[in-house]
Amino acid sequence: MENFFLYVLIALAFLAIADLVVGVSNDAVNFLNSAIGSKVISFRSIMIVASVGVAFGAIFSSGMMEVARKGIFNPELFYFDEIMFVFLAVMITDILLLDFFNTIGLPTSTTVSIVFELLGAALAMSYIKIVKSGAELSTILQYINDEKALQIISGILLSVFIAFNIGAFVQWVTRLWLTFNFRNQSVFANASFGGISLASISYFILIKGIKGTAFAERTYSFTSELSLIGFIETNTVLVAVIAFIFLFLVSLALIVAKLSMYKFIIGAGTFSLALAFAGNDLVNFVGVPLAAYQSFEAWKMSGMLPSEFSMEVLSAKVQAPTAFLLASGMIMILTLWFSKKARYVADTQINLSREGEARERFKPNYLSRSVVRITIQFGQYVTRAVPQPLLNRININLRQHKQILQTHNQNKKV
């Protein structure tokens, strides 16, 4: 029996590698499309920056592994043999699903995929256990960590709404501030924008990076006996102001030296997105096989039958092996460089965000039209509430775009 589950574990290891490949191919669009679409940095440079970000993010992703272990179901109610079949079903389904989306060039959420795969597999196994025991079907919810699962699913749905609105607002404010003719803006305006952008990105990298390290909870003399992460969170305003002043001066120096500040911002943004991707989404690809490995080790040491060993051990917090995270990071980086499907998926999103007209691969539907219609109506209501002098000023900043675009097109023809 031990050999059987060892073979299952080996199969899960190969499935983890395959899931990394198909998962990164699908999610690469999330942190590459902005930089590639901007066309201000060479593709090679973008890939190098993203690779470094993925490597750091993979190392700092250990804490996110808890989702696969106990975020969706209550592991103490399952036995070892049952949980191994749950994990095997999840991995096979995830690979088939993501590869299908990659083949048609359509981005999807790997987080949504793994969450509902775990939920479905756990529910199916729970149903089998209930039928065998003759218990009431209503007890099936006892096997599911419904509070945590609902929290994760609600967070996924809410993130779509928040990302849409904040993205639109930041884009509008940025364009209003710099206008479409940003090269003719004052040095102070460009340097201020660079300082704010880089400070925001740096703060995100700092918080995201430190939380995944071993020294995040250590206390230091310069932090007034607070942990490092506690000191940063307590002094958020001070850290943000210092970062802004320093990076404002850096942006100013770049402008004075006739170097592109915006290339620097895009590079930093690409690094932070790649860091966040690896830190958050690595669990979607290898969290399940890692949980299976830790389950196998605990069962082997127990000496009990697989049908009698409770998986309560998964409820405890366990750090993922650093070597395992580094190996996963290397596979992700290699996939970035050599996967044709990753670039195919990226092309889909870049084409959807282009400015000009062209033939669309995916036609608009009733839902997308409704979202656009509601947004336009909301914009009209806001416009009516804005004073006319301010509205005229806003229109002047945004109306220049047609002239600049025409000039750009004429220069391309020449």
Side-chain angles (χ1 to χ4, degrees):
M1 183 61 71
E2 180 179 337
N3 289 337
F4 172 77
F5 287 108
L6 179 61
Y7 295 146
V8 171
L9 191 63
I10 293 172
L12 283 170
F14 283 104
L15 289 173
I17 296 173
D19 204 27
L20 278 168
V21 173
V22 298
V24 173
S25 297
N26 191 279
D27 272 8
V29 64
N30 295 335
F31 57 92
L32 291 179
N33 66 325
S34 297
I36 295 173
S38 68
K39 298 181 180 179
V40 298
I41 304 179
S42 68
F43 182 78
R44 181 182 179 85
S45 299
I46 292 171
M47 294 296 288
I48 292 173
V49 171
S51 299
V52 176
V54 167
F56 277 93
I59 297 172
F60 300 150
S61 66
S62 179
M64 296 298 296
M65 295 296 171
E66 301 300 311
V67 175
R69 296 162 54 86
K70 57 183 179 180
I72 304 300
F73 54 84
N74 296 315
E76 65 274 9
L77 298 180
F78 293 89
Y79 294 112
F80 171 70
D81 57 345
E82 297 168 341
I83 211 73
M84 290 296 283
F85 284 116
V86 168
F87 289 154
L88 188 62
V90 168
M91 291 303 295
I92 294 174
T93 305
D94 198 51
I95 292 171
L96 294 175
L97 181 67
L98 293 180
D99 189 62
F100 170 74
F101 277 95
N102 292 345
T103 301
I104 63 176
L106 185 63
T108 187
S109 172
T110 54
T111 303
V112 172
S113 301
I114 200 70
V115 165
F116 283 96
E117 286 157 4
L118 282 166
L119 183 60
L123 283 172
M125 184 57 70
S126 302
Y127 177 76
I128 294 172
K129 287 171 64 68
I130 289 172
V131 171
K132 281 186 176 181
S133 63
E136 294 290 332
L137 187 60
S138 58
T139 61
I140 195 170
L141 293 179
Q142 296 177 2
Y143 295 90
I144 305 301
N145 187 353
D146 53 350
E147 182 178 351
K148 186 66 175 179
L150 184 61
Q151 181 182 353
I152 294 172
I153 294 170
S154 300
I156 292 170
L157 297 175
L158 188 61
S159 66
V160 176
F161 176 80
I162 293 174
F164 176 84
N165 287 280
I166 292 182
F169 178 75
V170 171
Q171 171 66 24
W172 186 81
V173 171
T174 301
R175 185 56 67 195
L176 181 65
W177 181 0
L178 296 176
T179 76
F180 286 92
N181 197 16
F182 64 92
R183 292 184 179 85
N184 292 335
Q185 292 294 319
S186 66
V187 173
F188 178 80
N190 279 296
S192 298
F193 176 78
I196 293 174
S197 301
L198 291 171
S200 302
I201 294 171
S202 300
Y203 184 79
F204 169 80
I205 293 173
L206 187 65
I207 293 295
K208 182 63 186 176
I210 287 179
K211 279 186 176 180
T213 59
F215 54 84
E217 301 299 330
R218 295 179 185 174
T219 58
Y220 301 89
S221 57
F222 69 89
T223 61
S224 303
E225 303 305 321
L226 291 171
S227 65
L228 187 57
I229 189 66
F231 176 80
I232 295 174
E233 292 177 345
T234 304
N235 300 276
T236 300
V237 176
L238 177 63
V239 173
V241 170
I242 293 175
F244 168 73
I245 294 173
F246 173 73
L247 292 168
F248 169 81
L249 296 175
V250 170
S251 301
L252 193 62
L254 290 172
I255 295 172
V256 171
K258 303 296 183 183
L259 298 175
S260 176
M261 175 194 70
Y262 293 98
K263 286 186 179 181
F264 191 67
I265 294 174
I266 292 171
T270 302
F271 174 84
S272 66
L273 287 173
L275 174 75
F277 157 74
N280 286 283
D281 284 8
L282 184 60
V283 64
N284 299 338
F285 314 132
V286 299
V288 168
L290 180 60
Y293 170 73
Q294 292 168 341
S295 301
F296 180 82
E297 282 194 322
W299 166 71
K300 190 175 180 181
M301 291 176 62
S302 70
M304 299 175 64
L305 291 175
S307 59
E308 297 177 356
F309 180 66
S310 172
M311 293 314 302
E312 188 176 359
V313 65
L314 291 180
S315 299
K317 188 173 183 179
V318 180
Q319 286 288 99
T322 303
F324 188 90
L325 298 177
L326 282 173
S328 301
M330 288 303 300
I331 295 172
M332 295 169 79
I333 292 171
L334 290 173
T335 303
L336 275 182
W337 281 91
F338 297 108
S339 173
K340 293 182 179 179
K341 288 187 178 180
R343 301 184 188 184
Y344 183 42
V345 176
D347 287 341
T348 298
Q349 191 160 338
I350 292 171
N351 289 335
L352 288 172
S353 62
R354 67 180 176 272
E355 188 172 25
E357 295 183 0
R359 184 177 180 179
E360 298 288 353
R361 289 182 56 209
F362 303 101
K363 301 298 181 182
N365 52 35
Y366 176 78
L367 178 61
S368 63
R369 290 192 183 98
S370 299
V371 171
V372 173
R373 191 181 301 113
I374 292 171
T375 305
I376 293 174
Q377 290 176 350
F378 176 75
Q380 291 173 346
Y381 289 135
V382 173
T383 300
R384 293 170 189 170
V386 176
Q388 192 60 40
L390 178 58
L391 192 61
N392 292 337
R393 178 61 185 169
I394 292 173
N395 289 334
I396 289 173
N397 285 352
L398 300 182
R399 197 177 295 142
Q400 294 175 348
H401 170 59
K402 290 185 178 180
Q403 300 174 359
I404 296 170
L405 185 61
Q406 289 172 358
T407 304
H408 176 70
N409 291 335
Q410 289 174 359
N411 291 336
K412 285 179 67 176
K413 291 179 180 178
V414 172

